[in-house]
Amino acid sequence: MQNSEELKWALLVASLAMLTMAFCLISFVMYYQKRRFEEEKRISDIEKTYNRLLLDTALNSEETERRRIAQDLHDDIGTMLSLTKLSLNQLGKIVGSTGNEKEDQIMKKSQSLVEETIIHVRRITRDLVPTTLERFGLIEAIEEFIHKLEEDNNLAITFQANTEDFPRQGQKLELTLYRIMQELVNNAIKHASCSQIDIRLEINDDVIGLKVIDNGVGFDPEKIKENNLAGLGLLGIESRLAIVDGTVQYEKPKMGGSCAYAQIPMVPVSDSKPEPLHPFRRERVNI
Amino acid sequence: MLEIYISYCLKNPISSIAVFITLLPITLILIKKAYIDPSFKLLLFYLIVKLIIDILMFQSAARHRNNIILFNLGIPINYAMLSGMFYFKFSSRVFKRGLIASMIGFLIFTLWDILNSNAEISDLHNHRAVLFAKTVEGVLIITLILLFFYEIIKSLKIPNLLTFPFFWVCSGLLLYYSSFIFIAPVLHYTATWNNLVDLGITETIPTIFEIVCAMFISVGIYHFSARDYAK
Ligand SMILES: Nc1ncnc2c1ncn2[C@@H]1O[C@H](COP(=O)(O)OP(=O)(O)OP(=O)(O)O)[C@@H](O)[C@H]1O
Ligand SMILES: [Mg+2]
């Protein structure tokens, strides 16, 4: 009997010990998993901000580079062309006084070629740096962009903004929206074979929305991503948006065509600080 | 007729609760549609088989008949289903293969153990509990749970374990089998008609943890969401 009593106690103690171990094990797994998870999350957060910084720098240096090229074009080539034009004018006067018909014709042709080149250079510099955007803001810039497109395409492009006076945003945000709009419209022209493009800008208290709708063939963004068909355009939109915490959705409206909707959360404007990575920022490009 | 059962229930309240509490996770699985997950489907089968065996045992116990044969036969069946659950949860191939091998090996081992523990197999009245099989089952299941925990920690896919259903199931089973592992071999000697040793409170510990285990499983299933599983 004594033996069984002892056995009973031994069993009880052993079972309790085993149970304690089980409890400890469960708590340990929970605790350890939680800590590891938090750590992993922190690391991925750091990685994310780092990537974002990298992307930001890359895009910034791209803009800086464009500015530099525009500056060089304007300062060097632009000046040279102006001087060439001046000399040609002088030459033209001399040639004109001799009265030789053929020489006069060649002279006129050279002059008009130089003038055309000047116009081209001006256009390129203006395309490279969206000066209207910087000086007058997004709405003006989009209107100008549309205007230029409508001239040499028979496309109907409409633009609506939900407020008349669209407040100025931070430079980066405006540029992001502008470049996205540019790419979306370019895509619609390039791929959609559409006759009508609608651009809508919606601003409310916490987000700015940009919608570009065309009535063309439409496309399936999932398929394009899966099949690796995305060019630089759609990827560029995404990376630009990633920097400003924006999102983009592509929809297929029922009446056909495609609709892209980009959203960017508003940030309080702090326009007092100049952006450090834009050394060639100037008020106006004059040619 | 009914009085027999009621008086048995009153005499052994804890083991009666342990039998009928199994209904709770079963209903929860059905309500929550947790059976779309193959692991939980097996868990459902396990619970149903357990309930049937328990009720049969309960009935024969209430009528003072020997029910140990049911207990013995239940061991390999339970193991097959519980380890089957882990088959769907493991991601490692090696673990899966080892698991299948253990199922077959364990079945053979249990049959051998039943024969070994009972010299006269046709004498159901004096049938005795297996000596090793239940303990081995406990060790195997605890090993599987440990392996599963190891995989969880290594893969880091689950943000919050407290809302992860299968973690609760594992914890419940771990507690149950931990409480049973030392008691199981002793049953071979104590669960007989002319038993001299009464384990008293020690014997009810596994029963209590059987209830705890059912509760844990219920909590786990409560957190199951069919919509999340589809993802
Ligand atoms: N508005 C649209 N209508 C129809 N298809 C489109 C439209 N926009 C994009 N796509 C499809 O999505 C693909 C990816 O576009 P994306 O702008 O990324 O590349 P791309 O325009 O071909 O090249 P890139 O922009 O680099 O010059 C295009 O090739 C086109 O098939
Ligand atoms: Mg494109």
Side-chain angles (χ1 to χ4, degrees):
Chain A
M1 206 61 220
Q2 154 118 53
N3 231 343
S4 89
E5 197 66 15
E6 271 174 12
L7 174 73
K8 204 159 102 183
W9 280 108
L11 275 180
L12 189 64
V13 170
S15 297
L16 288 181
M18 192 74 198
L19 276 170
T20 321
M21 254 161 66
F23 266 118
C24 290
L25 180 78
I26 294 171
S27 337
F28 169 76
V29 169
M30 261 156 61
Y31 169 76
Y32 187 77
Q33 152 91 6
K34 201 168 158 209
R35 247 202 37 209
R36 283 263 331 254
F37 203 82
E38 272 163 11
E39 219 161 81
E40 206 76 356
K41 212 176 134 220
R42 232 189 33 238
I43 292 174
S44 84
D45 274 355
I46 291 173
E47 235 163 52
K48 234 190 240 160
T49 34
Y50 177 72
N51 276 343
R52 202 162 128 160
L53 216 71
L54 223 65
L55 206 67
D56 197 18
T57 321
L59 285 180
N60 264 338
S61 50
E62 185 190 320
E63 289 295 334
T64 316
E65 194 60 21
R66 280 164 184 252
R67 251 164 243 278
R68 199 184 59 76
I69 295 170
Q71 181 93 20
D72 282 357
L73 267 179
H74 169 259
D75 288 0
D76 295 358
I77 309 217
T79 319
M80 301 262 215
L81 282 172
S82 303
L83 289 178
T84 317
K85 189 178 159 190
L86 210 71
S87 325
L88 273 180
N89 279 352
Q90 279 170 5
L91 191 66
K93 271 186 203 133
I94 299 167
V95 171
S97 60
T98 58
N100 188 325
E101 187 91 348
K102 199 162 179 219
E103 279 176 5
D104 206 32
Q105 225 174 16
I106 295 173
M107 196 63 240
K108 285 260 160 61
K109 195 165 176 209
S110 318
Q111 271 174 330
S112 73
L113 273 176
V114 169
E115 233 145 70
E116 215 171 292
T117 317
I118 289 177
I119 291 172
H120 275 265
V121 168
R122 180 196 272 160
R123 208 203 61 230
I124 291 169
T125 30
R126 290 197 134 232
D127 279 354
L128 279 171
V129 184
T131 38
T132 316
L133 180 70
E134 276 161 24
R135 294 185 54 215
F136 301 107
L138 202 53
I139 293 198
E140 300 280 331
I142 295 179
E143 268 164 6
E144 193 197 71
F145 179 75
I146 294 172
H147 191 68
K148 255 192 272 172
L149 278 179
E150 273 181 329
E151 271 171 11
D152 39 42
N153 287 302
N154 43 4
L155 250 179
I157 306 183
T158 60
F159 172 51
Q160 290 166 4
N162 70 344
T163 54
E164 271 302 301
D165 56 340
F166 190 81
R168 291 297 304 262
Q169 305 297 319
Q171 199 198 358
K172 193 198 255 169
L173 225 145
E174 285 188 338
L175 194 64
T176 304
L177 279 168
Y178 182 75
R179 293 279 184 228
I180 289 174
M181 184 275 310
Q182 228 176 2
E183 172 59 26
L184 287 174
V185 173
N186 279 340
N187 269 357
I189 293 171
K190 247 200 287 185
H191 308 292
S193 49
C194 56
S195 60
Q196 163 92 32
I197 300 174
D198 289 327
I199 304 170
R200 281 185 208 148
L201 202 58
E202 286 157 12
I203 185 163
N204 51 40
D205 291 340
D206 37 69
V207 286
I208 305 174
L210 171 74
K211 248 186 200 161
V212 176
I213 306 164
D214 66 55
N215 63 349
V217 292
F219 70 107
D220 188 354
E222 293 297 320
K223 233 179 233 162
I224 284 183
K225 251 181 229 159
E226 267 168 32
N227 302 344
N228 239 339
L229 290 175
L232 289 180
L234 297 186
L235 292 180
I237 291 177
E238 249 154 48
S239 44
R240 274 178 197 282
L241 281 172
I243 294 172
V244 291
D245 285 326
T247 55
V248 64
Q249 290 155 11
Y250 302 95
E251 286 154 28
K252 257 187 126 164
K254 281 201 196 72
M255 40 308 170
S258 58
C259 167
Y261 185 36
Q263 272 174 305
I264 298 181
M266 284 269 234
V267 278
V269 198
S270 59
D271 45 4
S272 50
K273 249 210 217 147
E275 307 238 329
L277 268 164
H278 289 218
F280 291 108
R281 185 136 188 246
R282 286 176 313 148
E283 274 312 292
R284 185 167 190 160
V285 180
N286 285 315
I287 296 182
Chain B
M1 180 71 177
L2 203 61
E3 285 149 32
I4 306 175
Y5 298 127
I6 292 175
S7 74
Y8 180 82
C9 279
L10 291 178
K11 238 196 283 171
N12 303 287
I14 296 181
S15 34
S16 312
I17 294 175
V19 171
F20 291 106
I21 195 140
T22 314
L23 283 169
L24 179 67
I26 291 180
T27 9
L28 271 172
I29 290 185
L30 294 176
I31 292 174
K32 283 271 179 180
K33 296 205 170 54
Y35 47 77
I36 54 170
D37 181 332
S39 293
F40 281 92
K41 198 183 271 171
L42 269 176
L43 183 64
L44 179 64
F45 289 150
Y46 163 75
L47 290 170
I48 291 173
V49 169
K50 179 173 170 339
L51 184 66
I52 292 172
I53 290 182
D54 279 354
I55 286 179
L56 287 176
M57 282 175 76
F58 172 77
Q59 193 203 9
S60 33
R63 290 155 164 251
H64 292 282
R65 285 212 208 106
N66 189 326
N67 56 16
I68 302 289
I69 180 74
L70 289 170
F71 171 81
N72 284 347
L73 288 179
I75 294 172
I77 300 175
N78 284 350
Y79 179 70
M81 288 201 253
L82 286 180
S83 57
M85 258 170 25
F86 286 93
Y87 182 83
F88 295 106
K89 290 293 176 191
F90 281 148
S91 44
S92 152
R93 279 269 182 78
V94 183
F95 290 176
K96 284 190 183 195
R97 255 187 240 139
L99 202 153
I100 300 260
S102 82
M103 268 190 215
I104 298 166
F106 185 68
L107 178 67
I108 296 167
F109 178 74
T110 315
L111 292 180
W112 171 80
D113 201 11
I114 292 177
L115 293 177
N116 184 48
S117 309
N118 293 286
E120 190 69 53
I121 192 69
S122 51
D123 178 13
L124 283 184
H125 181 70
N126 284 316
H127 198 82
R128 293 177 77 179
V130 285
L131 184 52
F132 306 111
K134 190 72 185 171
T135 315
V136 173
E137 183 197 353
V139 171
L140 285 174
I141 297 253
I142 289 176
T143 313
L144 290 179
I145 293 172
L146 292 185
L147 288 177
F148 179 69
F149 283 174
Y150 169 75
E151 276 200 345
I152 296 185
I153 287 182
K154 243 186 96 186
S155 70
L156 278 189
K157 273 189 205 128
I158 303 141
N160 187 359
L161 282 179
L162 284 180
T163 58
F164 182 62
F166 203 66
F167 181 71
W168 283 95
V169 175
C170 285
S171 305
L173 289 174
L174 182 62
L175 288 177
Y176 172 58
Y177 279 101
S178 304
S179 70
F180 207 43
I181 208 161
F182 287 115
I183 315 256
V186 183
L187 286 181
H188 175 69
Y189 302 104
T190 59
T192 52
W193 289 124
N194 40 14
N195 171 27
L196 299 174
V197 191
D198 179 23
L199 289 180
I201 174 85
T202 312
E203 206 165 358
T204 52
I205 290 182
T207 323
I208 292 171
F209 276 92
E210 206 177 327
I211 299 173
V212 172
C213 173
M215 298 289 214
F216 269 55
I217 293 178
S218 308
V219 173
I221 296 162
Y222 175 76
H223 285 296
F224 188 92
S225 140
R227 208 159 357 106
D228 285 352
Y229 177 72
K231 283 178 199 160

